[in-house]
Amino acid sequence: MSDLWVVGDVHGALPSLRTLLQRARLADFEDNWLGDGSTLVLLGDLMDRGPDGLGVVRLVRRLEEQARQVGGQVVSLLGNHEVMLLAALRFRGRRQFGGDPYGLFDYWKQNGGRLRDLSMLEPDDLEWLEARPPMYRHADWLLCHADSRLYLTLGDSLERVSELCAAFLRASTPETWVDFLNAFAERELYGGESGEERAAQMLRVFGGERLAHGHTPVFVLQGTPPSAVMSPYRYAGGLVLGLDSAMAYQKGAGFLVRLEADPGRLSSPDAQGVLEIFSLTESHLGALPLPELRH
């Protein structure tokens, strides 16, 4: 099984993403793919908040194409901020005619939307964003953007969830987009006393031994003050790995992890699943111990 690399919400932090990819030897200083047959998964929310969301999209698309040519793959999942941007784009021109009654354009702007990104999107960028898969399974890992019950409400297979997400993104009525965004915005599904049970349900339905997500910053999951997070957070009885480092709005934050990709290795409750961690503020960290689980 090839190496599996995963990074959480980038949110337009292009220099940070480039640094992480270079440190992990997945890309060179000219943004060319070096990962050979490896798999790189980005957990959604490429845009908004940070200064260059479109630059992030263009870099990911470039690496996706280059990786495909040498037997590797780059997978970028659908995040709620991609949906927010697409809603803003769809309803921006309707506002003056009352066609945006729920303020979807303003909602996007208030949540870090960048007009530069919106104005410079090319048709092929838009087509690419609309085609992002909501979930992905690699070996024994189930990967998704949000710690939300959204996926379970949409279906009982990866294919069905993808079909319904695509249908939402084709909808012409603002009410449909509002419902989708509200469900996507939910977070912290795997916290508290029922968190492990909910995580186990996700894995039973969609497959896998462990689940990794972004969406909710690690310091929020840990219940600590905002800080520069440099490692993931394992919780919900060890079934879940939180990977949102808040790299776009916490100085020095950001990390990229290599996860255990050999089938069967995660079946042990003691298996942490994290093989390497690269951060922005440290050189190669090796296999750091993860933060203690909190129940």
Side-chain angles (χ1 to χ4, degrees):
M1 180 67 67
S2 63
D3 285 343
L4 171 62
W5 296 89
V6 184
V7 64
D9 309 34
V10 178
H11 278 304
L14 179 59
S16 298
L17 177 61
R18 294 182 72 225
T19 297
L20 291 172
L21 294 173
Q22 291 162 13
R23 288 189 171 180
R25 299 289 296 164
L26 291 173
D28 65 18
F29 291 100
E30 296 180 343
D31 297 332
N32 295 306
W33 177 253
L34 294 178
D36 296 327
S38 297
T39 294
L40 169 66
V41 180
L42 298 99
L43 296 178
D45 281 7
L46 300 183
M47 310 183 80
D48 300 345
R49 294 189 175 144
D52 197 358
L54 186 57
V56 172
V57 167
R58 298 273 171 82
L59 171 60
V60 173
R61 292 187 61 195
R62 173 188 176 92
L63 296 176
E64 179 185 67
E65 178 61 29
Q66 292 182 346
R68 184 184 300 117
Q69 294 174 5
V70 295
Q73 59 179 345
V74 174
V75 179
S76 185
L77 301 183
L78 181 72
N80 63 306
H81 277 262
E82 278 77 42
V83 178
M84 288 164 57
L85 181 141
L86 292 170
L89 188 64
R90 178 176 289 269
F91 294 100
R92 175 179 59 176
R94 305 184 190 180
R95 289 183 299 158
Q96 59 182 330
F97 305 108
D100 186 15
Y102 301 97
L104 287 165
F105 180 83
D106 292 333
Y107 176 68
W108 166 74
K109 282 186 63 180
Q110 292 164 6
N111 281 275
R114 299 279 180 148
L115 290 174
R116 176 183 176 275
D117 290 337
L118 198 68
S119 64
M120 295 183 67
L121 276 172
E122 297 288 345
D124 57 335
D125 296 315
L126 179 61
E127 183 179 354
W128 185 85
L129 286 170
E130 291 174 338
R132 294 308 84 215
M135 308 175 77
Y136 176 68
R137 197 169 63 237
H138 186 97
D140 287 336
W141 284 98
L142 178 64
L143 304 157
C144 56
H145 171 67
D147 44 337
S148 160
R149 72 183 74 245
L150 167 71
Y151 310 101
L152 287 169
T153 65
L154 292 178
D156 58 3
S157 70
L158 302 184
E159 295 75 18
R160 182 56 177 162
V161 172
S162 292
E163 290 172 1
L164 285 182
C165 280
F168 274 112
L169 297 181
R170 292 191 300 268
S172 59
T173 57
E175 291 83 3
T176 302
W177 287 82
V178 168
D179 289 343
F180 190 32
L181 282 166
N182 283 339
F184 219 157
E186 182 193 30
R187 61 179 76 245
E188 298 185 72
L189 179 65
Y190 309 117
E193 294 182 358
S194 301
E196 184 175 352
E197 179 182 340
R198 291 167 179 164
Q201 181 186 11
M202 277 283 288
L203 294 168
R204 284 195 303 270
V205 172
F206 298 113
E209 295 284 344
R210 303 290 174 87
L211 184 152
H213 70 83
H215 191 54
T216 303
V218 166
F219 63 77
V220 174
L221 295 172
Q222 292 177 307
T224 60
S227 60
V229 176
M230 294 182 289
S231 61
Y233 179 54
R234 187 169 63 97
Y235 68 113
L239 294 180
V240 180
L241 200 63
L243 291 166
D244 181 358
S245 66
M247 72 169 74
Y249 48 93
Q250 290 295 319
K251 185 177 180 179
F255 59 83
L256 171 71
V257 299
R258 181 165 70 93
L259 299 182
E260 177 61 71
D262 286 340
R265 293 286 185 89
L266 298 179
S267 58
S268 168
D270 297 328
Q272 291 193 355
V274 177
L275 302 180
E276 290 183 282
I277 307 172
F278 289 85
S279 79
L280 285 179
T281 52
E282 298 286 345
S283 58
H284 181 200
L285 299 177
L288 287 183
L290 298 182
E292 291 183 5
L293 282 74
R294 300 187 181 191
H295 299 283

